Amino acid sequence: MKKENYVIGVDYGTDSVRSIIANAANGQEVASAVFYYPRWKDGLYCDPGVNQFRQHPLDYLEGLEQTITRCLLQAGPSVTANIRAISVDTTGSTPVAVDETGTPLALLPRFEKNPNAMFVLWKDHTSVPEAAAINAHAEKYDINYLQYVGGIYSSEWFWAKLLHILREDAAVREACHSWVEHCDWIPFVLTGGKQAAAMKRSVCAAGHKALWAAEFGGLPPDQWFADLDPLLAGFTKRLFTDTYTSDKAAGTLSPEWAAKLGLSTDVVIGVGAFDAHMGAVGGQIEPYHLSKVMGTSTCDMLVAPLSEVDGKLVKGICGQVPGSVLPGMMGLEAGQSAFGDAYAWFKKVLAWPLQHVLGQSTIINTETAKAIIDEVSDKLIPELSKQAALLHIDENSELAIDWFNGRRTPDANQELKGAITGLNLGSDAPRIFRAIVEATCFGAKAIVDRFNQEGVPVKGLIGLGGVAKKSPFIMQMMADVMNMPIRIHKSEQTCALGAAMFAATAAGIYNKVEDAMNAMGQGFDATYYPDKNKVALYQKRYNKYHKLGGFIEGSIKHNEKEAVLSN
């Protein structure tokens, strides 16, 4: 009987890490486990008021070990004996300061509680001034080193975060030997890496966030960074020159991790990548079809043959990098800084009385109060969606802007704020929620419009992730606003499944990722078609959304100018 091969996909999200074991022949999920980061759940090392979001490396390491070992227990000895490879995806840009051995500083005793020594999560926006400095600096040079990242550098990315930490914390600055993305560090850990210089860096992270490009011969010159700020002098020499696509092996499982997990040291460890990039593969991305991974934020991926986009540079997106999604094809990334996060914010606003009034009630005991709070909170979004879907709206109904966590694309600006307008005494919770959902759909349409305007046509939409699977209301509105059908992928774990596909390719089970995608893909189980009766109304409201957004952006620029003049 032919021996079956199995692979493990590990998906690091914002709140948790999930691992799956998949049959490499058909993608069938035979085990899964999730681990919620305990320190993150407790709100440690974060300050939302100043947009500081940090994660401790112990959350990642504990989650890695626990989810994989639990999967192996579920699957049993026969599957465990035939695990061939592990690949990992993570959020990004989520970098960390490491010492010469590649150890994150927060794992050293003197830095264990220092947020600046921890991973700087993708949605951390403490480096807005540094991003602005990079953008201003880039304009001084004949070579535009931002041309492959949409022309605008974001505070969510690699160099802005590094410069902020170096400026902010002298102790971390002195101890920081190199700066490492989460998706590159986990494979380094699994392979038993001992020197940061030997770490295999993914082209996905390097190209989209760190300004690496083959056309530059790697990273921009060290002098370019030193001229920006002397604190950056010499850093390029301690980073990397070579990058790798995720169909390649980073190495094999180290003896230490093999013993922890109960696996063989022959298990191949693939080069890592960002969650949306591997998720697009897990969701069976097609050329010119925008693959939308919809969770707390959105990451929108599009692939196109290199020859067909040669010479085209899409302005205001998160970059275009050969091989960042599928080796041999151009990978283009865009996205929204707040999607599910916007709904979660409104849910938190509505739940405030429950937590702060009912939670202090003297009529019912604490345990009962907590049970009521949890039950009601869990039902808020489903019930809001149900009631919002029944509403009649017109051109002048409540209108919102989705920049609750700044704007990622098009044209990154993390200083922008969300807004809700058109309120009156009849504006109840379902109406406000509907406006927020509509705003996130309008933000998604702005991305599609930018691709089309720049000569890279969007020919279809693919929906992936938790929101796509769980909210017919939001997906129907997305189709109506876009005036395009949106297909929803069957797999609930497209990022982890995509990682498993890359693992199978890195192990040599498949010659290329497309072969793994075709064999292991689970297909689509729903399609939302636009309601032609609503398309014209949404277009009118979309135009109003743009005018309101322009007013907000103009007001912020005016206030900044006034502040400069007053100083």
Coordinates of all heavy atoms in Angstrom, one line a residue, residues 269-338:
I269 N 11.6 22.0 7.0 CA 11.0 23.3 7.4 C 11.1 24.3 6.2 O 12.1 24.6 5.7 CB 11.7 23.9 8.6 CG1 11.8 22.9 9.7 CG2 11.0 25.2 9.1 CD1 10.5 22.4 10.3
G270 N 9.9 24.8 5.8 CA 9.9 25.7 4.6 C 10.2 27.1 5.0 O 10.1 27.5 6.2
V271 N 10.6 27.9 4.1 CA 10.8 29.3 4.2 C 9.4 30.0 4.5 O 8.4 29.6 3.9 CB 11.4 30.0 3.0 CG1 11.4 31.5 3.1 CG2 12.9 29.5 2.8
G272 N 9.4 30.9 5.5 CA 8.1 31.5 5.9 C 7.6 32.5 4.9 O 8.3 32.9 4.0
A273 N 6.4 33.1 5.2 CA 5.8 34.2 4.5 C 4.7 34.8 5.3 O 4.4 34.3 6.4 CB 5.3 33.7 3.1
F274 N 4.1 35.9 4.8 CA 3.0 36.5 5.5 C 1.7 35.7 5.3 O 1.5 35.0 4.3 CB 2.8 37.9 5.0 CG 3.9 38.9 5.4 CD1 4.3 39.9 4.6 CD2 4.6 38.7 6.6 CE1 5.3 40.8 5.0 CE2 5.6 39.6 7.0 CZ 5.9 40.6 6.2
D275 N 0.8 35.9 6.3 CA -0.4 35.1 6.3 C -1.3 35.3 5.0 O -1.7 34.3 4.4 CB -1.3 35.4 7.5 CG -1.4 36.9 7.8 OD1 -1.0 37.7 7.0 OD2 -1.9 37.2 8.9
A276 N -1.4 36.5 4.6 CA -2.3 36.7 3.4 C -1.7 36.1 2.1 O -2.4 35.7 1.3 CB -2.5 38.2 3.2
H277 N -0.4 36.1 2.0 CA 0.3 35.6 0.8 C 0.1 34.0 0.8 O -0.3 33.5 -0.3 CB 1.7 35.9 0.8 CG 2.0 37.4 0.7 ND1 1.7 38.2 1.8 CD2 2.6 38.1 -0.3 CE1 2.1 39.5 1.4 NE2 2.6 39.4 0.2
M278 N 0.3 33.4 1.9 CA 0.0 31.9 1.9 C -1.5 31.7 1.9 O -1.9 30.7 1.3 CB 0.7 31.3 3.1 CG 2.2 31.2 3.0 SD 2.9 30.1 4.2 CE 4.6 29.9 3.6
G279 N -2.3 32.5 2.5 CA -3.7 32.4 2.5 C -4.3 32.5 1.1 O -5.2 31.8 0.7
A280 N -3.7 33.3 0.3 CA -4.1 33.4 -1.1 C -3.9 32.1 -1.9 O -4.7 31.7 -2.7 CB -3.4 34.6 -1.8
V281 N -2.8 31.5 -1.6 CA -2.5 30.2 -2.2 C -3.5 29.1 -1.7 O -4.0 28.3 -2.4 CB -1.0 29.8 -2.0 CG1 -0.8 28.3 -2.4 CG2 -0.1 30.7 -2.7
G282 N -3.7 29.1 -0.4 CA -4.7 28.2 0.2 C -6.1 28.4 -0.3 O -6.8 27.4 -0.4
G283 N -6.4 29.6 -0.7 CA -7.7 30.0 -1.3 C -7.7 29.9 -2.8 O -8.6 30.4 -3.5
Q284 N -6.6 29.2 -3.4 CA -6.6 28.9 -4.9 C -6.7 30.2 -5.7 O -7.5 30.4 -6.6 CB -7.7 27.9 -5.2 CG -7.4 26.6 -4.6 CD -8.6 25.6 -4.8 OE1 -9.5 25.6 -4.0 NE2 -8.5 24.8 -5.8
I285 N -5.8 31.1 -5.5 CA -5.7 32.4 -6.2 C -5.5 32.1 -7.7 O -4.9 31.1 -8.1 CB -4.6 33.3 -5.6 CG1 -4.7 34.7 -6.2 CG2 -3.2 32.7 -5.9 CD1 -3.8 35.7 -5.5
E286 N -6.1 33.0 -8.5 CA -6.0 32.9 -10.0 C -5.5 34.3 -10.4 O -5.7 35.3 -9.8 CB -7.3 32.7 -10.6 CG -8.0 31.4 -10.1 CD -9.5 31.3 -10.6 OE1 -9.8 31.9 -11.7 OE2 -10.3 30.6 -10.0
P287 N -4.8 34.3 -11.6 CA -4.3 35.6 -12.1 C -5.4 36.6 -12.3 O -6.5 36.3 -12.8 CB -3.7 35.2 -13.5 CG -3.3 33.8 -13.3 CD -4.3 33.2 -12.4
Y288 N -5.2 37.8 -11.8 CA -6.1 39.0 -11.9 C -7.3 38.8 -11.0 O -8.3 39.6 -11.2 CB -6.4 39.3 -13.3 CG -5.2 39.6 -14.2 CD1 -4.7 38.8 -15.1 CD2 -4.5 40.8 -14.0 CE1 -3.6 39.1 -15.9 CE2 -3.4 41.2 -14.7 CZ -3.0 40.3 -15.7 OH -1.9 40.6 -16.4
H289 N -7.4 37.8 -10.2 CA -8.5 37.7 -9.2 C -8.0 38.2 -7.9 O -7.0 37.6 -7.3 CB -9.0 36.3 -9.1 CG -9.9 35.9 -10.3 ND1 -9.4 35.9 -11.6 CD2 -11.2 35.5 -10.3 CE1 -10.4 35.5 -12.4 NE2 -11.5 35.3 -11.6
L290 N -8.6 39.2 -7.3 CA -8.2 39.8 -6.0 C -8.6 38.8 -4.9 O -9.8 38.6 -4.7 CB -8.8 41.2 -5.8 CG -8.1 42.0 -4.7 CD1 -6.7 42.3 -5.1 CD2 -8.9 43.3 -4.5
S291 N -7.6 38.3 -4.2 CA -7.9 37.4 -3.1 C -7.9 38.1 -1.8 O -6.8 38.7 -1.4 CB -6.8 36.3 -3.1 OG -6.9 35.4 -2.0
K292 N -9.0 38.3 -1.2 CA -9.2 39.1 0.0 C -9.3 38.3 1.2 O -10.3 37.6 1.5 CB -10.5 39.9 -0.2 CG -10.5 40.9 -1.4 CD -11.8 41.6 -1.5 CE -12.0 42.6 -0.3 NZ -11.0 43.6 -0.1
V293 N -8.2 38.3 2.0 CA -8.2 37.7 3.3 C -8.8 38.7 4.4 O -8.2 39.7 4.7 CB -6.8 37.3 3.7 CG1 -6.8 36.6 5.1 CG2 -6.1 36.4 2.7
M294 N -10.0 38.3 4.8 CA -10.8 39.3 5.6 C -10.9 38.8 7.1 O -11.6 37.9 7.4 CB -12.1 39.5 5.0 CG -12.1 40.2 3.7 SD -13.7 40.3 2.9 CE -13.8 38.8 2.0
G295 N -10.1 39.5 7.9 CA -10.1 39.3 9.4 C -10.2 40.6 10.1 O -11.0 41.5 9.8
T296 N -9.3 40.8 11.1 CA -9.2 42.0 11.8 C -8.9 43.2 10.8 O -9.5 44.3 11.0 CB -8.2 42.0 12.9 OG1 -6.9 41.5 12.4 CG2 -8.6 41.0 14.0
S297 N -8.0 42.9 9.9 CA -7.8 43.8 8.8 C -8.1 43.1 7.5 O -8.5 41.9 7.6 CB -6.3 44.3 8.8 OG -5.4 43.2 8.6
T298 N -7.8 43.6 6.4 CA -7.8 42.8 5.1 C -6.4 42.9 4.5 O -5.7 43.9 4.6 CB -8.8 43.3 4.1 OG1 -8.4 44.5 3.5 CG2 -10.2 43.5 4.7
C299 N -6.0 41.8 3.9 CA -4.9 41.8 3.0 C -5.4 41.3 1.6 O -6.0 40.3 1.6 CB -3.8 40.9 3.5 SG -2.8 41.7 4.8
D300 N -5.2 42.1 0.6 CA -5.7 41.8 -0.7 C -4.5 41.4 -1.6 O -3.6 42.3 -1.8 CB -6.4 43.0 -1.3 CG -7.6 43.4 -0.5 OD1 -8.0 42.6 0.4 OD2 -8.2 44.5 -0.7
M301 N -4.6 40.2 -2.2 CA -3.5 39.7 -3.0 C -3.9 39.5 -4.4 O -5.1 39.1 -4.7 CB -3.0 38.4 -2.4 CG -2.6 38.4 -1.0 SD -1.5 39.7 -0.5 CE -0.1 39.4 -1.7
L302 N -3.1 39.9 -5.4 CA -3.3 39.7 -6.8 C -2.0 39.2 -7.4 O -0.9 39.7 -7.1 CB -3.8 41.0 -7.4 CG -4.2 40.9 -8.9 CD1 -5.4 41.9 -9.1 CD2 -3.1 41.2 -9.9
V303 N -2.1 38.2 -8.3 CA -1.0 37.7 -9.0 C -1.2 37.9 -10.5 O -2.3 37.9 -11.0 CB -0.7 36.2 -8.7 CG1 -0.3 36.0 -7.3 CG2 -1.8 35.3 -9.1
A304 N -0.1 38.2 -11.2 CA -0.1 38.4 -12.7 C 1.2 37.9 -13.3 O 2.2 37.9 -12.6 CB -0.3 39.8 -13.0
P305 N 1.1 37.3 -14.5 CA 2.3 36.9 -15.2 C 3.3 38.1 -15.2 O 2.9 39.2 -15.5 CB 1.8 36.5 -16.6 CG 0.4 36.1 -16.3 CD -0.1 37.1 -15.3
L306 N 4.6 37.8 -15.0 CA 5.6 38.9 -15.0 C 5.6 39.7 -16.3 O 5.8 40.9 -16.3 CB 7.0 38.3 -14.7 CG 7.2 37.7 -13.3 CD1 8.5 36.9 -13.2 CD2 7.1 38.8 -12.2
S307 N 5.5 39.0 -17.4 CA 5.6 39.7 -18.7 C 4.4 40.6 -18.9 O 4.6 41.6 -19.6 CB 5.6 38.6 -19.8 OG 4.4 37.8 -19.8
E308 N 3.3 40.4 -18.3 CA 2.1 41.2 -18.5 C 2.1 42.5 -17.7 O 1.3 43.4 -18.0 CB 0.9 40.4 -18.3 CG 0.7 39.2 -19.3 CD -0.6 38.4 -19.1 OE1 -1.5 38.9 -18.3 OE2 -0.7 37.3 -19.7
V309 N 2.9 42.5 -16.6 CA 2.9 43.7 -15.8 C 4.3 44.4 -15.8 O 4.5 45.3 -15.0 CB 2.5 43.4 -14.3 CG1 1.0 43.0 -14.3 CG2 3.4 42.3 -13.7
D310 N 5.1 44.0 -16.7 CA 6.4 44.5 -16.8 C 6.3 46.0 -17.1 O 5.6 46.5 -18.0 CB 7.2 43.9 -18.0 CG 8.6 44.4 -18.1 OD1 9.3 44.5 -17.0 OD2 9.1 44.6 -19.2
G311 N 7.0 46.8 -16.3 CA 7.0 48.3 -16.5 C 5.8 49.0 -15.8 O 5.8 50.2 -15.8
K312 N 4.9 48.2 -15.2 CA 3.8 48.8 -14.5 C 4.1 48.9 -13.0 O 4.4 47.9 -12.4 CB 2.5 48.0 -14.7 CG 2.0 48.1 -16.2 CD 0.7 47.3 -16.3 CE 0.2 47.3 -17.8 NZ -1.0 46.5 -18.0
L313 N 3.9 50.1 -12.4 CA 4.1 50.2 -11.0 C 2.8 50.8 -10.4 O 2.4 52.0 -10.7 CB 5.2 51.2 -10.7 CG 6.6 50.7 -11.0 CD1 7.7 51.8 -10.8 CD2 7.0 49.5 -10.1
V314 N 2.1 50.0 -9.6 CA 0.8 50.5 -9.1 C 1.1 51.4 -7.9 O 1.7 50.9 -6.9 CB -0.1 49.3 -8.7 CG1 -1.4 49.7 -8.1 CG2 -0.3 48.4 -9.9
K315 N 0.6 52.6 -7.9 CA 0.8 53.6 -6.9 C -0.1 53.3 -5.7 O -1.2 52.9 -5.8 CB 0.6 55.0 -7.4 CG 1.5 55.4 -8.5 CD 1.1 56.8 -9.1 CE 2.0 57.2 -10.3 NZ 1.5 58.5 -10.9
G316 N 0.5 53.5 -4.5 CA -0.3 53.6 -3.3 C -0.7 52.2 -2.7 O -1.5 52.2 -1.8
I317 N -0.1 51.1 -3.2 CA -0.4 49.8 -2.6 C 0.8 49.4 -1.7 O 1.7 50.1 -1.5 CB -0.7 48.8 -3.7 CG1 0.5 48.5 -4.6 CG2 -1.9 49.2 -4.6 CD1 0.4 47.3 -5.5
C318 N 0.7 48.1 -1.2 CA 1.8 47.6 -0.3 C 2.9 46.9 -1.1 O 3.6 46.1 -0.5 CB 1.2 46.7 0.7 SG -0.1 47.4 1.8
G319 N 3.0 47.2 -2.4 CA 4.1 46.7 -3.1 C 3.8 45.6 -4.1 O 2.7 45.0 -4.1
Q320 N 4.8 45.4 -5.0 CA 4.7 44.3 -6.0 C 6.0 43.7 -6.0 O 7.1 44.3 -6.3 CB 4.2 44.9 -7.3 CG 5.0 46.1 -7.8 CD 4.2 46.8 -8.9 OE1 3.3 47.6 -8.7 NE2 4.7 46.6 -10.2
V321 N 6.0 42.4 -5.8 CA 7.3 41.6 -5.6 C 7.2 40.3 -6.4 O 6.3 39.5 -6.1 CB 7.5 41.4 -4.1 CG1 8.8 40.6 -3.9 CG2 7.6 42.7 -3.3
P322 N 8.1 40.1 -7.3 CA 8.1 38.8 -8.0 C 8.3 37.6 -7.0 O 9.2 37.6 -6.2 CB 9.3 38.9 -8.9 CG 9.6 40.3 -9.1 CD 9.2 41.0 -7.8
G323 N 7.4 36.6 -7.1 CA 7.5 35.4 -6.3 C 7.0 35.6 -4.8 O 7.1 34.6 -4.1
S324 N 6.4 36.7 -4.5 CA 6.0 36.8 -3.1 C 4.8 36.0 -2.8 O 4.5 35.7 -1.6 CB 5.7 38.3 -2.7 OG 4.6 38.8 -3.5
V325 N 4.0 35.7 -3.8 CA 2.8 34.8 -3.6 C 3.1 33.5 -4.3 O 3.2 32.4 -3.6 CB 1.5 35.5 -4.1 CG1 0.3 34.5 -3.9 CG2 1.3 36.8 -3.5
L326 N 3.2 33.5 -5.6 CA 3.5 32.3 -6.4 C 4.9 32.5 -7.1 O 5.1 33.5 -7.8 CB 2.5 32.1 -7.5 CG 1.1 31.6 -7.0 CD1 0.1 31.6 -8.2 CD2 1.2 30.2 -6.3
P327 N 5.8 31.7 -6.8 CA 7.1 31.8 -7.5 C 6.9 31.9 -9.0 O 6.1 31.1 -9.6 CB 7.9 30.5 -7.1 CG 7.3 30.2 -5.8 CD 5.8 30.5 -5.9
G328 N 7.6 32.9 -9.7 CA 7.5 33.0 -11.1 C 6.4 34.0 -11.6 O 6.2 34.2 -12.7
M329 N 5.6 34.5 -10.6 CA 4.6 35.5 -10.9 C 4.7 36.7 -10.0 O 5.3 36.6 -9.0 CB 3.2 34.9 -10.7 CG 2.8 33.7 -11.6 SD 1.1 33.3 -11.7 CE 0.5 34.5 -12.9
M330 N 4.3 37.8 -10.5 CA 4.3 39.1 -9.7 C 3.2 39.0 -8.7 O 2.0 38.6 -8.9 CB 4.0 40.3 -10.6 CG 4.1 41.6 -9.9 SD 5.8 42.0 -9.3 CE 6.5 42.5 -10.9
G331 N 3.6 39.3 -7.4 CA 2.6 39.3 -6.3 C 2.4 40.8 -6.0 O 3.3 41.5 -5.7
L332 N 1.1 41.2 -6.0 CA 0.8 42.6 -5.6 C -0.1 42.6 -4.4 O -1.1 41.8 -4.3 CB 0.0 43.3 -6.8 CG 0.8 43.4 -8.1 CD1 0.5 42.3 -9.1 CD2 0.6 44.8 -8.8
E333 N 0.2 43.4 -3.4 CA -0.5 43.4 -2.1 C -1.1 44.8 -1.9 O -0.5 45.8 -2.1 CB 0.5 43.0 -1.0 CG -0.2 43.1 0.4 CD 0.8 43.0 1.5 OE1 2.0 42.7 1.2 OE2 0.4 43.2 2.7
A334 N -2.3 44.7 -1.4 CA -3.0 45.9 -0.8 C -3.7 45.5 0.4 O -3.6 44.4 0.9 CB -3.9 46.5 -1.9
G335 N -4.6 46.4 1.0 CA -5.3 46.0 2.1 C -5.9 47.2 2.9 O -5.6 48.3 2.6
Q336 N -6.7 46.8 3.9 CA -7.3 47.8 4.8 C -6.8 47.6 6.3 O -6.8 46.5 6.7 CB -8.8 47.7 4.8 CG -9.4 48.1 3.4 CD -10.8 47.6 3.3 OE1 -11.1 46.5 2.7 NE2 -11.8 48.4 3.7
S337 N -6.5 48.7 6.9 CA -5.9 48.6 8.3 C -7.0 48.1 9.3 O -6.6 47.6 10.3 CB -5.3 49.9 8.7 OG -4.1 50.2 8.0
A338 N -8.2 48.4 9.0 CA -9.3 47.9 9.9 C -10.5 47.4 9.1 O -11.0 48.1 8.2 CB -9.8 49.1 10.8

